[in-house]
Amino acid sequence: MKKEVTIVGVSGYGGGELVRLLARHPDIKLVQALGDTHAGQPLSSAFAGLHGSEVGTLICEPKTSKVRGEIVFLAQDNGYSSGVAGTLLAEGRTVIDLAADFRLKDTEAWEKFYKLPVPEESVREKAVYGLPERHREQIRGARLMANPGCNATAAILALAPLIEAGVLENSPVIVDVKAAVSGAGRAKSDAPYRFSERNESVVPYNVGGVHRHIAEITQEAGVTPTFVPHLIPMSRGIVATCYAPLKNKSSLESLYEVWKRAYASEPFVIVRDSGDWPTTKDTLGSNYCHLSATVDPSTGLVVLISVLDNLGKGASGAAVQNMNVALGFEETAGLEGAGIWP
Amino acid sequence: MKKEVTIVGVSGYGGGELVRLLARHPDIKLVQALGDTHAGQPLSSAFAGLHGSEVGTLICEPKTSKVRGEIVFLAQDNGYSSGVAGTLLAEGRTVIDLAADFRLKDTEAWEKFYKLPVPEESVREKAVYGLPERHREQIRGARLMANPGCNATAAILALAPLIEAGVLENSPVIVDVKAAVSGAGRAKSDAPYRFSERNESVVPYNVGGVHRHIAEITQEAGVTPTFVPHLIPMSRGIVATCYAPLKNKSSLESLYEVWKRAYASEPFVIVRDSGDWPTTKDTLGSNYCHLSATVDPSTGLVVLISVLDNLGKGASGAAVQNMNVALGFEETAGLEGAGIWP
Amino acid sequence: MKKEVTIVGVSGYGGGELVRLLARHPDIKLVQALGDTHAGQPLSSAFAGLHGSEVGTLICEPKTSKVRGEIVFLAQDNGYSSGVAGTLLAEGRTVIDLAADFRLKDTEAWEKFYKLPVPEESVREKAVYGLPERHREQIRGARLMANPGCNATAAILALAPLIEAGVLENSPVIVDVKAAVSGAGRAKSDAPYRFSERNESVVPYNVGGVHRHIAEITQEAGVTPTFVPHLIPMSRGIVATCYAPLKNKSSLESLYEVWKRAYASEPFVIVRDSGDWPTTKDTLGSNYCHLSATVDPSTGLVVLISVLDNLGKGASGAAVQNMNVALGFEETAGLEGAGIWP
Amino acid sequence: MKKEVTIVGVSGYGGGELVRLLARHPDIKLVQALGDTHAGQPLSSAFAGLHGSEVGTLICEPKTSKVRGEIVFLAQDNGYSSGVAGTLLAEGRTVIDLAADFRLKDTEAWEKFYKLPVPEESVREKAVYGLPERHREQIRGARLMANPGCNATAAILALAPLIEAGVLENSPVIVDVKAAVSGAGRAKSDAPYRFSERNESVVPYNVGGVHRHIAEITQEAGVTPTFVPHLIPMSRGIVATCYAPLKNKSSLESLYEVWKRAYASEPFVIVRDSGDWPTTKDTLGSNYCHLSATVDPSTGLVVLISVLDNLGKGASGAAVQNMNVALGFEETAGLEGAGIWP
């Protein structure tokens, strides 16, 4: 029997991508979509691409409606999940949170970066950082998953195994991100997100030490990078270009060995040859993360290129993958296939 | 048992989209990909998004290799199919041609618009115009399908049933097309297709009476429109805005009745309410065509908006749909689901 | 001595382009910039491109500040100018209004399309429709100019002389517009103008009989077209593709004769050969309008292509041109030069 | 009397921008434009935006025509200038070379990065690196200027004064570049520059130690950075994000002091406050370079943001500035004004 799923916050970009992915998932059925923007209207009114599909006829409900799904995706602003997760868990549901509320173990980091109350400890302690490539065993059977930040996923997948294996020095590490505009979310409609101003422009923001995803990288990869994001005039996609010193006795070969060992059985991490540089279009609409690396001989610095779709492996694709692992479905269910090209 | 499929001309945009769609088709197996550009290399070298999928490991073969598939997709320049279709049919294969060779019944129109030799009559007479919404019965069991032109499909789906039902006058009819750059194909790398010149620009071309898709519209919809295409700075998508006089005694209501009747059972044509105007993003990566209409009260002209993805319903998606109908597979197999949004 | 200029509503796209153009104008000096968004801040805080220029140091004032300039540009929402123009005129100032308040002679059309009160008659009667190519003699010495709508300018420059000369039938006339997103203004930050949703999409809107610029075309070109605008994923530029029947005894040659005669001495209208189709990039950042035409032999319809920059000849460039004509400056002052390419 | 100017290689992006800028220059007259692509045709056929301007009527000549201008801009592929500069100098002309031939003092670096013969010594020794902000005195009266590479200019203007003043350590230094597609030139029409593939994608290339502009940065800023460029889906603009360790006893304040002192009198370098991050749209079509910086407190690394238009200060604008300084014209002549926004 198919498990029933509820999405809370269906009107945003993350919610829309969840609907698209879940519609082709063999083991679940989307039974409830909550979101005030389109309450009372069919999902196809929010996402016209759903016209003609069964899921498009599902009527959205107000955000405060009673949740019915055994599995609940929370795609709301930071701070919302803290208030509802405890109840949902007590009712026996499995919760996958796309917001940041349960990502950080370090409550000081949470307060510093998010300036929001720390979620209740009894709920926090149940949360698993939802990156299967790092925590698959914990995710199996878990009831509360904190889906990682998009930039964090790109950086952690590149850096974490290399730091862990001692291939890289852990300082100075730099993560220079080129990110599509949808990463800011659909609600961000103020000036910086207007088409005419974002188009034909690269926009640095949160330069140096202030972006919230830094705390996740510190927690999961064991390094605190200088992190600088730049908005790019495109709808989807992230390139995280990471720089770090190669450790004494390490080499590009040993780096690749570590990556290949770490990701040999991973269905969604592609380790590409040095020189075969991935582009964001390689992952457009898919759940893959592509990695490639080189060593700059003149400086001894390693350059890691990590590419993914911020709404795929960076958000909703990862959320579905977490569900699959937690519930024991085929890990790739609903996530198969290449992205859109060109 | 799965049917075996060959793609000839796998390196282009149409070929790439075929690979993506066929990879998730339950009834066939892509066993052979021909194309000189990547001969000897795995498909993932041509389309990096295929890394991690089984189909990505298929080794491309030179274009002149012996075809092995029971089903053959020809995604080559106009004129190529004329030379090979006869042999492929004689060998018992089913052929779906994405080029124009077999689209036109009228050999004069063919010579006028394409300036190429007329294909051999014994082969031509076997060809079916591959638009299931108009010729489904002929396509069932057919062995040679001429896949329609992308702009033609958009215009025909909007106009044909209305002309046929006598809702519209057949003159003057105007089709003003806004088309993504990929419609020109991957081989077109000369000036007009360079990024820096196409970006941030709208480019009219083939203005008035010269675009080749006119002949298909004449043949299938029974009208010869003034047709003006414009290149738009985007990778995928077509809007065909069609204008025609409403016939005496017709109304917007009778227009919608005809459309709704024509497309009630069609899995890939969505008739949307007047005022609910489709955008190309509604169909990005999917096999749908969205239609909507209004009457301008001040002029009595009808405006029809027809939207599709030029590589989806406008090319490779339609080709898969043709295969499904011809071979008796589920018509939507491999084509399910919404497009990418945003 | 340089004339002193005030801009009211400096924070928008039209206001910003006015600042850029006026900064290089030899006969005037921008002395005052009103706009609440950046009140108290230098203009360079609103438009970072002004850093390093003298005009960038001008401190913005609140919108309600007393106007000091002898020449006043009003770049506000529709309805604002009606309230202030009378006073500004009484104070002896020259007013160029970029909004619609004074464009329409027909008060019924004004009420129908704008649903706003009719401006006071004593002020209205002073207003000149600010299209020098049609009303240069009236603009000379005028004190109140209604700057045309961007789409209207594109359509009128193409159609008006041809209708007037009897080259075209006046029905059915179609104007199919492809327009950059900035045409909607900077204040429009709701969903339809978010980057991620406008990017990689063509969006029809106001389809058939409802766009406000129709009334200007009727007034100035003597035809009421079916008018359909489409948003294009670019920041600036308009293509108006116009369709109309050629009148008996007319020909493409007679059409070109009329255009060439009409625009022989015009500094900003370029009549290009049939087949040499203009693109929006040809006018990016300049004050030019490019025209080209053909006749579709199969339908007898004329196709006119009219291209301009919606913030140049479509708004702020035209406003400067109006000032030049009204005040007796060199008509091209501040407007010389080609646009940006590529 | 106006000096006469020749452009060799007028059909490319750099050549086109030179024409646009020189057309409004008060002290020179463009008398000759060489380029095979449009030989025999008016310049307006190469750049349609020149229709209506006097310069647009200049007839292009074949590339091998005898040069007539007292001032010659060479906008050709690397290697061309080496062959002609000696003769042009001997004829008494002033030469501004937009290619790389005369940029590097170090012949080994030249051979390593460019794999081309070293230009003749008697000519090489006359060449000045054409960055007025670093070599203004040498440029005054110079006869052969090597116009810097676009990425090099962005990096050098940010780094050189800080390295020189001992504010930054010189290792490890990272320059992560986000560059518009036009930087590759108009001749690059192969796959990576096709619209459909470049659009909606970020593309890393020449990753780590191999980009040719590194040698210029080493020569002019005294550091060899790890340099990684990324193609961005836009036509114009560069962001160079530079990372380096702050030297003991230095601070963000001392960094800004150095920058402000270095650039206090510079007409085209804008030092913006920390936190006021420049975007490429701030410089679109202008000759400005905008700088801003911060220190990441968690890592002690400095982040420098340097932004310019690759065809403005990164190429043709800089070439005009070099001419102005060398010939004693007003340094800002032909280069005044803000860029296009939005």
Side-chain angles (χ1 to χ4, degrees), chain D residues 1 20 24 28 45 51 73 77 94 129 160 163 193 213 235 267 279 284 324-325 340:
Chain D
M1 252 246 326
R20 182 177 80 92
R24 52 178 174 161
I28 62 94
S45 71
H51 278 291
F73 290 90
D77 284 346
T94 297
Y129 190 78
I163 296 290
Y193 305 97
H213 290 176
S235 292
T279 75
L284 182 62
N324 289 346
V325 175
I340 297 280

Side-chain angles (χ1 to χ4, degrees), chain A residues 109-147:
Chain A
W110 171 256
E111 288 174 320
K112 173 186 163 200
F113 280 100
Y114 290 89
K115 302 183 186 358
L116 285 169
V118 176
E120 207 184 317
E121 187 54 31
S122 63
V123 184
R124 284 187 74 239
E125 68 186 18
K126 296 200 176 69
V128 180
Y129 190 78
L131 192 61
E133 292 78 5
R134 303 289 299 165
H135 303 291
R136 186 171 283 106
E137 289 317 308
Q138 286 178 264
I139 298 170
R140 285 195 214 286
R143 300 271 312 291
L144 174 56
M145 277 143 282
N147 215 51

Side-chain angles (χ1 to χ4, degrees), chain B residues 6-340:
Chain B
T6 294
I7 299 172
V8 184
V10 78
S11 304
Y13 297 144
E17 184 73 350
L18 277 173
V19 173
R20 181 176 82 90
L21 296 173
L22 294 172
R24 51 177 175 163
H25 197 292
D27 305 313
I28 62 93
K29 184 175 167 62
L30 181 63
V31 297
Q32 192 183 25
L34 307 188
D36 290 344
T37 314
H38 295 87
Q41 298 176 269
L43 266 178
S44 60
S45 72
F47 307 110
L50 297 175
H51 279 291
S53 69
E54 200 195 323
V55 74
T57 63
L58 186 69
I59 303 296
C60 297
E61 303 175 29
K63 208 168 74 179
T64 50
S65 304
K66 179 80 189 80
V67 167
R68 293 191 302 274
E70 302 165 70
I71 303 165
V72 187
F73 291 90
L74 299 176
Q76 288 288 310
D77 284 345
N78 296 323
Y80 179 88
S81 315
S82 306
V84 302
T87 304
L88 294 169
L89 291 176
E91 293 168 352
R93 308 181 199 281
T94 297
V95 177
I96 299 144
D97 184 19
L98 280 82
D101 296 41
F102 297 104
R103 289 178 192 160
L104 301 182
K105 306 297 172 203
D106 178 344
T107 54
E108 273 182 54
W110 170 257
E111 287 174 320
K112 173 186 165 200
F113 279 102
Y114 289 89
K115 302 185 186 357
L116 284 169
V118 176
E120 207 185 315
E121 186 55 30
S122 64
V123 185
R124 284 185 74 237
E125 68 186 18
K126 297 198 176 70
V128 181
Y129 191 78
L131 192 61
E133 291 80 3
R134 302 290 298 165
H135 304 290
R136 185 171 282 106
E137 289 316 308
Q138 285 177 266
I139 298 170
R140 285 194 214 286
R143 299 269 313 289
L144 175 56
M145 278 143 282
N147 215 52
C150 51
N151 303 301
T153 296
I156 294 163
L157 289 176
L159 289 165
L162 302 177
I163 295 290
E164 202 170 61
V167 171
L168 302 180
E169 300 283 355
N170 67 359
S171 168
V173 175
I174 288 157
V175 177
D176 184 295
V177 167
K178 297 86 184 161
V181 181
S182 69
R186 198 179 191 183
K188 288 282 181 56
S189 58
D190 47 328
Y193 304 97
R194 286 183 208 126
F195 181 88
S196 305
E197 291 165 57
R198 275 303 59 73
N199 185 39
E200 193 66 9
S201 196
V202 173
V203 182
Y205 73 103
N206 276 356
V207 178
V210 291
H211 196 286
R212 294 161 163 187
H213 291 175
I214 294 170
E216 290 177 57
I217 301 170
T218 303
Q219 171 178 298
E220 298 293 322
V223 292
T224 296
T226 284
F227 181 99
V228 180
H230 305 74
L231 285 175
I232 300 297
M234 59 183 188
S235 293
R236 286 170 167 234
I238 285 176
V239 173
T241 313
C242 308
Y243 303 87
L246 200 60
K247 245 192 185 156
N248 205 2
K249 302 195 179 161
S250 293
S251 65
L252 187 60
E253 287 66 37
S254 55
L255 183 160
Y256 264 90
E257 271 170 39
V258 171
W259 266 1
K260 296 222 164 181
R261 200 166 50 233
Y263 298 128
S265 317
E266 287 300 334
F268 294 117
V269 181
I270 305 294
V271 177
R272 290 169 62 172
D273 291 346
S274 184
D276 179 22
W277 306 115
T279 75
T280 63
K281 205 181 268 292
D282 298 347
T283 63
L284 182 62
S286 85
N287 195 49
Y288 287 93
C289 175
H290 287 212
L291 300 174
S292 190
T294 194
V295 177
D296 183 343
S298 59
T299 64
L301 286 180
V302 166
V303 186
L304 314 173
I305 304 282
S306 179
V307 174
L308 51 76
D309 183 331
N310 58 299
L311 295 177
K313 183 65 178 163
S316 305
V320 172
Q321 188 181 356
N322 275 320
M323 174 186 76
N324 290 345
V325 175
L327 278 293
F329 304 143
E330 184 72 30
E331 186 162 343
T332 58
L335 300 170
E336 302 91 345
I340 296 281

Side-chain angles (χ1 to χ4, degrees), chain A residues 31-36 38-40 59-63 65-66 68:
Chain A
V31 297
Q32 192 183 26
L34 306 188
D36 289 345
H38 295 88
I59 304 297
C60 297
E61 303 175 29
K63 209 169 72 179
S65 304
K66 178 82 189 78
R68 293 192 302 274

Side-chain angles (χ1 to χ4, degrees), chain D residues 150-185:
Chain D
C150 52
N151 303 302
T153 295
I156 294 164
L157 289 176
L159 289 166
L162 302 177
I163 296 290
E164 201 170 61
V167 172
L168 302 180
E169 300 284 357
N170 67 359
S171 168
V173 175
I174 288 158
V175 177
D176 184 295
V177 166
K178 297 85 185 161
V181 181
S182 70

